[in-house]
């Protein structure tokens, strides 16, 4: 519009309104809810009573040795080598066969036709019965069978073995010497793993500060309380073994191969089992029971190890020597890590290759390090074979990277918490292998642990002049499952039985960790039945499908998912039946509290037991199978990098407060906090129990537990000399459960198994360093080693000499 006088265009005015539209500050209505959101209404998330609790409290649970009574016809015992490295010249059984009650003595030449006489989880390199040579003081050379247990022990002790001694390879240095005897055809280096990420050397050259240290971790025994025992019988067609283990279906495979049987001719049934921690992953007595049973058809053979035999013969945690260098900028930003690790594999491979990979892939834990160079070497010695133990590989590396953060904070004069906060990965960041983690909660766990630590009113008792108090912290991550492309799956069956009870079938092994409740609670939640109406059938190769090993913190994620998948399929059957009865679409119904209930019409109700009856009448199977088999990607062998090394990662942070007697070196843990992100706690009480148990084991590893080897001889194969933590050594463990939904887990659950031990040891070591002003480098940090840290000039092994194991490694500023 133009003004007639000046010709200038002016904007038109809007028409005058009599009313204005309302200004809305919120939507007209709240968002619509979706009926498909997972909101547990049943036992998931509740601390339900243990399925196996009553029988264990009443003493009616049958462990391996309980199966002997009124069932054993004959007894068997293994004759073990008294030499760490020797050639077998002769096995004289004459005296043993003269012992009243002794029936037979079997050696390698008595293995059945077609038998491989070999065992081993990854490489079958371990003879069931030694053929010409023994490689550690525990190798099996013969088996004695007798009519009574007393007679079989006397017969075992009467077997005479003549040896020709060979040089003992006692440690890393012996094994790597140029003139070292070759323990295996390919030499003494079992294998290696590496990480090559960025350019570590160049980044170290440009760093403002470089800190180096050599960490030495000890050999540890699993110390599970239930002894290794069981029974076996061969009926001419089927070999049935009732023996504790951790992977029933793999035990069947390995036993069949060792004895030359078709796999279908072997059945493994796992009895009640008290503890494992990785110590039951390798074959135990299964193959020996099987051999004797094959020789005595129709007879039930019983066998058990004494505590000493178990400790002498079975595999241990890997002792490691870790040379660790880390670089950083002046503001504390990490630039690079260069790491070399030697792992004592003992005489045979066991799970060594997997341990090497776990150590490499967890070498920088939850830290954001752009340039990483790692070499991990497995070294054969004449010590006990070393294999799976809770947190294998990752446990030892956590001691190293947490220890390096304390050292770096000291050198930079930075607050430890702030240094951690600056360098912890966030969601979307990469871990050591280059895998990006969509949900990383390391900082959340650290902050939750610190909040718990600071929230409690100070009640520290006054210290004596010879005492020092300190606190320490760890932050860790852990890749769940086998990982690295290894086929990893779990299968489950869920069905209503003839009596209308819900049954869950899993091949997983319950050894006290709460697997039965986890599987039962998930199935009950999905089907909407009371938890008391669920039965779990487990670890019987004749009745259950394979669920993989009860290890690698995998059962909640893998078997939990398999059970949920099977139960959800069965749920569809039940809802379909209900929809037909009620004349509605099945998705308009829900299952909970033992009933099918209308989502939109509460008057639509029918009990689930009625639906089961109707389903049978209508010829529904009322049974479903589930399989969970996610894909991981094998690492690039040259770089160790993988876009998905592990299916998911778990995060945790622990805090320890200790008092150190600087005159004696004694350490007392005053307070301990364990914080873990578990995704979803299926059974909170069980999760807290795992946290407490793992922390206790970690305290034991930090302060006292150590297998003492002397020229291939274990000097402390008993619970008198192998020191374990008791209630006097462990304070009340304060547990903090963090729940950040894992999109791939059952109801968002991840699991809990191994991380509580992994995080505990470095937290205690950090606290000791904070108390005395000297960072520990060797575990266990027993009174002697603490005293040596305080008096290095009088130590038995001077610190400088120990560092000479890693030329060029020293603490320095540029």
């Amino acid at each position: 519009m133009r003004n007639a006088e000046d010709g200038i265009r002016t904007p038109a005015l809007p028409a005058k309104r009599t009313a204005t539209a309302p200004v809305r500050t919120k939507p007209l209505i709240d968002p619509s809810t979706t009926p498909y959101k997972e909101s547990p209404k049943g036992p998931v998330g509740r601390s339900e009573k243990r399925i196996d609790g009553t029988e264990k409290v009443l003493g009616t649970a049958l462990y391996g040795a309980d199966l002997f009574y009124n069932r054993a016809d004959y007894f068997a015992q293994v004759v073990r080598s008294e030499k760490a490295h020797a050639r077998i010249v002769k096995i004289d059984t004459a005296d043993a066969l003269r012992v009243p009650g002794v029936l037979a003595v079997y050696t390698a030449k008595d293995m059945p036709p077609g038998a491989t006489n070999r065992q081993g989880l990854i490489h079958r390199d371990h003879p069931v019965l030694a053929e010409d040579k023994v490689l550690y003081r525990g190798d099996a050379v013969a088996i004695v069978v007798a009519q009574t247990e007393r007679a079989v022990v006397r017969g075992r002790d009467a077997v005479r073995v003549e040896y020709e001694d060979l040089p003992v390879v006692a440690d890393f240095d012996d094994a790597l010497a140029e003139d070292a005897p070759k323990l295996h055809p390919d030499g003494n280096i079992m294998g290696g793993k590496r990480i090559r990420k960025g350019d570590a050397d160049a980044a170290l050259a440009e760093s403002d500060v470089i800190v180096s240290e050599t960490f030495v971790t000890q050999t540890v025994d699993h110390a599970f309380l239930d002894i290794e025992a069981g029974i076996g019988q061969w009926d001419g067609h089927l070999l049935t073994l009732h023996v504790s283990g951790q992977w029933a279906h793999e035990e069947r495979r390995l036993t069949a191969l060792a004895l030359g049987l078709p796999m279908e001719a072997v059945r493994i049934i796992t009895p009640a089992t008290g503890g494992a921690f990785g110590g039951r992953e390798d074959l135990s007595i299964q193959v020996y029971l099987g051999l004797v049973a094959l020789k005595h058809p129709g007879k039930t053979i019983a066998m058990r190890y004494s505590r000493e035999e178990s400790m002498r013969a079975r595999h241990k945690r890997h002792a490691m020597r870790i040379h660790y260098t880390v670089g950083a900028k002046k503001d504390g930003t990490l630039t690079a890590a260069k790491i070399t690790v030697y792992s004592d594999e003992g005489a045979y491979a066991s799970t060594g290759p997997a341990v090497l990979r776990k150590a490499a892939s967890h070498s920088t834990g939850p830290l954001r390090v752009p340039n990483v160079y790692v070499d991990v070497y497995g070294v054969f010695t004449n010590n006990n074979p070393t294999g799976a133990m809770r947190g294998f590989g990752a446990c030892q590396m956590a001691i190293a990277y947490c220890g390096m953060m304390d050292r770096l904070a000291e050198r930079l004069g930075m607050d430890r918490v702030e240094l951690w906060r600056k360098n912890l990965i966030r969601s979307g960041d990469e871990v050591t292998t280059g895998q990006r983690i969509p949900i990383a909660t390391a900082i959340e766990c650290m902050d939750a642990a610190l909040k718990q630590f600071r929230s409690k009113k100070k009640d520290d008792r006054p210290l004596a002049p010879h005492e020092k108090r300190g606190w320490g912290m760890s932050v860790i991550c852990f890749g769940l499952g086998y990982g690295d492309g290894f086929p990893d799956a779990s299968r489950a069956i869920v069905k209503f039985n003839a009596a209308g009870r819900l049954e869950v079938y899993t091949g997983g092994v319950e050894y006290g960790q709460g697997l039965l409740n986890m599987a039962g609670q998930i199935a009950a939640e999905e089907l909407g039945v009371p938890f008391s109406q669920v039965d779990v059938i487990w670890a019987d190769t004749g009745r259950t499908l394979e669920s993989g090993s009860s290890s690698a913190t995998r059962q909640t994620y893998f078997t939990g998912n398999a059970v949920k998948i099977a139960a959800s399929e069965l749920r569809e059957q039940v809802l379909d039946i209900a929809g037909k009865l009620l004349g509605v679409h099945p998705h308009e119904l829900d299952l909970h509290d033992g009933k099918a209930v209308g989502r939109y019409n509460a008057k639509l109700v029918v009990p689930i037991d009625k639906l089961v009856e109707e389903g049978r009448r209508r010829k529904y199977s009322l049974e479903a199978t589930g399989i969970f088999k996610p894909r991981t990607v094998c690492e690039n062998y040259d770089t160790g990098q993988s876009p998905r090394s592990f299916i998911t990662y778990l995060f945790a942070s622990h805090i320890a407060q200790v008092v150190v007697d600087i005159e004696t070196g004694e350490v007392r843990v005053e307070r301990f906090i364990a914080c873990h992100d578990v995704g979803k706690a299926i059974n909170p009480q069980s999760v807290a129990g795992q946290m407490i148990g793992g922390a206790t084991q970690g305290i034991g590893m930090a302060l006292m537990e150590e297998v003492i080897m002397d020229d291939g001889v274990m000097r402390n194969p008993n619970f008198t000399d192998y020191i374990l933590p008791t209630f006097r050594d462990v304070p009340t463990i304060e547990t903090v459960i963090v729940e950040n939904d894992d999109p791939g887990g059952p109801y968002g659950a991840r699991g809990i198994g191994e991380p509580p031990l992994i995080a505990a040891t470095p937290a205690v070591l950090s606290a000791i360093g904070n108390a005395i002003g000297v960072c520990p480098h060797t575990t266990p940090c027993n009174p002697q080693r603490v005293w040596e840290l305080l008096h290095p000039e009088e130590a038995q092994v001077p610190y400088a000499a120990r560092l000479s194991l890693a030329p060029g490694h020293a603490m320095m500023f540029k």
Side-chain angles (χ1 to χ4, degrees):
M1 178 179 182
R2 287 182 177 274
N3 185 296
E5 294 183 353
D6 57 21
I8 298 174
R9 184 177 177 86
T10 59
L13 297 175
K16 186 177 181 180
R17 296 180 180 177
T18 57
T20 59
V23 178
R24 297 192 180 99
T25 59
K26 63 178 183 178
L28 289 173
I29 61 171
D30 290 333
S32 299
T33 60
T34 170
Y36 307 110
K37 176 179 171 60
E38 282 190 342
S39 300
K41 301 182 180 70
V44 164
R46 296 202 303 242
S47 295
E48 296 282 358
K49 185 175 74 173
R50 286 187 65 113
I51 286 177
D52 55 349
T54 300
E55 62 182 8
K56 288 182 176 178
V57 170
L58 295 177
T60 58
L62 297 179
Y63 293 82
D66 297 323
L67 303 175
F68 288 21
Y69 305 104
N70 301 319
R71 296 179 69 174
D73 296 311
Y74 299 153
F75 293 84
Q77 282 281 304
V78 175
V79 179
R80 297 196 178 274
S81 168
E82 293 297 324
K83 301 288 185 177
H85 191 201
R87 188 166 286 107
I88 298 173
V89 176
K90 180 181 180 183
I91 301 175
D92 186 348
T93 64
D95 288 347
L97 292 171
R98 283 193 285 268
V99 173
V102 169
L103 301 171
V105 180
Y106 303 112
T107 63
K109 62 181 177 60
D110 298 306
M111 293 296 288
T116 65
N117 192 33
R118 289 293 183 274
Q119 57 181 316
L121 273 175
I122 296 178
H123 301 310
R124 289 192 300 118
D125 62 343
H126 190 167
V128 174
L129 292 173
E131 295 154 337
D132 58 351
K133 191 165 67 170
V134 293
L135 291 183
Y136 79 106
R137 191 173 177 269
D139 254 330
V141 296
I143 308 175
V144 180
V145 58
Q147 294 173 325
T148 66
E149 199 164 16
R150 177 176 296 219
V152 80
V153 170
R154 291 181 60 204
R156 177 200 65 192
D157 295 342
V159 174
R160 303 287 176 252
V161 184
E162 183 182 339
Y163 296 101
E164 176 189 332
D165 288 336
L166 296 171
V168 173
V169 178
D171 55 32
F172 298 120
D173 297 319
D174 286 352
L176 297 175
E178 289 186 7
D179 59 348
K182 293 175 63 173
L183 301 183
H184 290 274
D186 292 333
N188 295 339
I189 297 181
M190 182 202 69
K193 290 292 181 181
R194 63 172 55 170
I195 299 289
R196 301 290 188 266
K197 181 180 177 183
D199 189 336
D201 286 329
L204 286 172
E206 297 175 359
S207 299
D208 295 321
V209 58
I210 299 173
V211 180
S212 293
E213 179 62 283
T214 297
F215 297 89
V216 179
T217 68
Q218 78 275 37
T219 303
V220 181
D221 190 82
H222 300 82
F224 44 73
L225 295 185
D226 173 30
I227 63 172
E228 295 166 273
I231 58 174
Q233 186 184 64
W234 168 249
D235 64 5
H237 304 282
L238 182 67
L239 174 64
T240 303
L241 303 173
H242 297 257
V243 180
S244 298
Q246 284 185 245
W247 191 353
H249 288 78
E250 186 69 5
E251 293 156 27
R252 177 174 68 164
R253 272 190 287 270
L254 293 175
T255 300
L257 286 168
L259 297 178
L261 293 172
M263 193 166 64
E264 296 78 8
V266 179
R267 181 182 182 185
I268 303 286
I269 303 171
T270 306
T273 302
F277 317 117
R280 301 182 193 269
E281 281 206 59
D282 289 90
L283 283 184
S284 173
I285 65 175
Q286 295 93 333
V287 69
Y288 303 116
L289 267 178
L291 173 60
V292 176
L294 290 175
K295 300 290 186 179
H296 300 270
K299 299 295 184 180
T300 297
I301 314 299
M303 187 177 186
R304 59 179 155 192
Y305 291 168
S306 66
R307 178 64 58 185
E308 178 179 354
E309 181 179 10
S310 180
M311 294 182 77
R312 273 189 52 193
R314 303 290 278 126
H315 69 271
K316 313 295 179 195
R317 182 187 294 285
H318 294 73
M320 289 188 178
R321 193 165 75 198
I322 304 165
H323 306 304
Y324 208 116
T325 295
V326 66
K329 296 297 184 182
K330 290 178 181 178
D331 66 355
T333 302
L334 296 176
T335 58
K338 193 167 185 179
I339 307 157
T340 302
V341 182
Y342 296 98
S343 174
D344 187 346
E345 302 302 316
Y348 301 104
S350 184
T351 56
V355 175
L356 300 186
R357 175 57 181 159
K358 189 75 84 169
S361 64
H362 288 69
S363 55
T364 59
L367 295 167
R368 195 167 49 230
V369 187
N371 302 283
V372 184
Y373 185 105
V374 182
D375 283 313
V376 184
Y377 300 105
V379 181
F380 285 123
T381 66
N382 290 126
N383 296 323
N384 283 72
T386 49
M389 187 173 181
R390 197 174 190 174
F392 65 29
C395 168
Q396 296 91 324
M397 298 313 296
I399 292 171
Y401 62 71
C402 290
M404 295 308 291
M405 291 296 282
D406 281 349
R407 288 160 174 78
L408 186 59
E410 178 186 352
R411 292 295 176 178
L412 291 170
M414 284 187 68
D415 177 77
R416 290 176 292 172
V417 174
E418 291 312 307
L419 183 63
W420 275 104
R421 191 181 305 281
K422 177 180 283 290
N423 290 290
L424 285 170
I425 65 170
R426 274 73 169 171
S427 297
D429 284 345
E430 294 181 353
V431 288
T432 316
T433 60
Q435 179 177 348
R436 293 194 179 274
I437 308 303
I439 302 175
T441 58
I443 293 175
E444 288 82 350
C445 288
M446 181 181 74
D447 287 342
L450 287 167
K451 181 179 179 181
Q452 175 71 12
F453 183 56
R454 294 163 177 164
S455 66
K456 188 174 180 181
K457 184 179 178 181
K458 292 285 185 180
D459 56 356
D460 302 331
R461 67 170 180 81
L463 297 179
H466 60 279
E467 293 180 321
K468 299 288 184 182
R469 176 178 283 122
W471 73 276
M473 181 180 70
S474 68
V475 188
I476 65 103
C477 70
F478 183 74
L480 180 149
Y482 305 143
D484 300 316
F486 188 90
D488 197 352
S490 184
R491 300 160 183 84
I493 299 171
V494 179
K495 69 179 184 179
F496 286 101
N497 67 16
R501 291 181 63 84
L502 188 64
E503 292 183 339
V504 181
Y505 290 77
T506 171
V509 172
E510 167 69 66
Y511 48 73
Q513 79 275 36
L515 180 145
L516 303 187
N517 269 55
M518 177 275 294
Q521 285 179 236
I522 288 174
E525 181 71 51
E526 199 70 16
L527 271 303
V529 303
F531 181 59
S532 59
Q533 294 298 307
V534 180
D535 300 314
V536 181
I537 294 88
W538 57 283
D540 178 345
T541 62
R543 302 180 68 190
T544 63
L545 302 176
E546 180 162 4
S547 300
S549 70
S550 285
S551 66
T553 315
R554 59 179 296 284
Q555 284 293 350
T556 293
Y557 207 92
F558 279 77
T559 292
N561 265 319
V563 170
K564 190 172 187 296
I565 291 167
S568 67
E569 288 298 303
L570 182 53
R571 174 189 175 89
E572 293 301 314
Q573 290 189 41
V574 174
L575 287 174
D576 194 57
I577 298 164
K580 290 174 179 176
L581 276 180
L582 297 173
V584 297
H585 193 283
H587 290 179
E588 296 174 31
L589 300 169
D590 198 3
L591 300 179
H592 58 82
D593 299 321
K595 303 182 291 290
V597 182
R599 292 183 185 273
Y600 313 109
N601 182 355
K603 294 181 180 179
L604 296 175
V605 178
V606 58
I608 289 176
D609 58 355
K610 298 297 183 184
L611 296 175
V612 171
E613 291 179 10
E614 181 65 17
R616 295 200 189 285
R617 190 179 70 81
R618 292 173 180 258
K619 307 300 183 184
Y620 281 78
S621 69
L622 296 174
E623 177 178 330
T625 299
I627 178 171
F628 181 70
K629 192 174 184 178
R631 178 175 180 254
T632 57
V633 180
C634 183
E635 85 275 16
N636 179 295
Y637 296 132
D638 291 327
T639 67
Q641 300 296 282
S642 166
R644 198 185 198 193
S645 293
F646 296 96
I647 186 68
T648 192
Y649 272 78
L650 299 87
F651 294 87
S653 180
H654 285 197
I655 294 176
Q657 179 176 298
V658 305
V659 171
V660 181
D661 186 322
I662 60 175
E663 291 183 352
T664 66
E666 181 182 3
V667 177
R668 184 176 68 259
V669 182
E670 279 190 317
R671 191 177 176 200
F672 200 96
I673 296 164
C675 175
H676 290 261
D677 185 349
V678 301
K680 174 69 176 178
I682 302 295
N683 185 319
Q685 184 180 53
S686 180
V687 168
Q690 287 276 65
M691 293 163 71
I692 293 167
T696 299
Q697 281 187 304
I699 291 171
M701 183 173 177
L703 298 179
M704 61 197 71
E705 292 190 50
E706 182 174 19
V707 171
I708 305 298
M709 299 299 297
D710 179 13
D711 205 32
V713 178
M714 184 178 179
R715 296 300 185 187
N716 57 338
N718 55 70
F719 284 171
T720 300
D721 301 316
Y722 183 86
I723 309 302
L724 292 164
T726 70
F727 74 95
R728 293 180 180 274
D729 305 299
V730 181
T732 299
I733 307 294
E734 301 169 47
T735 59
V736 180
I737 297 175
V738 177
E739 294 180 303
N740 287 289
D741 187 287
D742 188 296
Y747 294 98
R750 290 187 184 88
I752 183 62
E754 293 167 277
L757 185 148
I758 298 169
T761 303
V764 174
L765 299 181
S766 176
I768 294 170
N770 182 249
I772 67 175
V774 184
C775 294
H777 45 69
T778 301
T779 54
C781 218
N782 55 30
Q784 176 181 323
R785 290 195 174 112
V786 173
W787 190 89
E788 290 176 348
L789 287 172
L790 291 164
H791 305 86
E793 70 284 352
E794 301 179 52
Q796 290 184 359
V797 180
Y799 183 64
R802 187 182 55 77
L803 275 183
S804 70
L805 296 172
H809 285 248
M811 293 189 179
M812 67 189 80
F813 271 106
K814 284 187 64 181

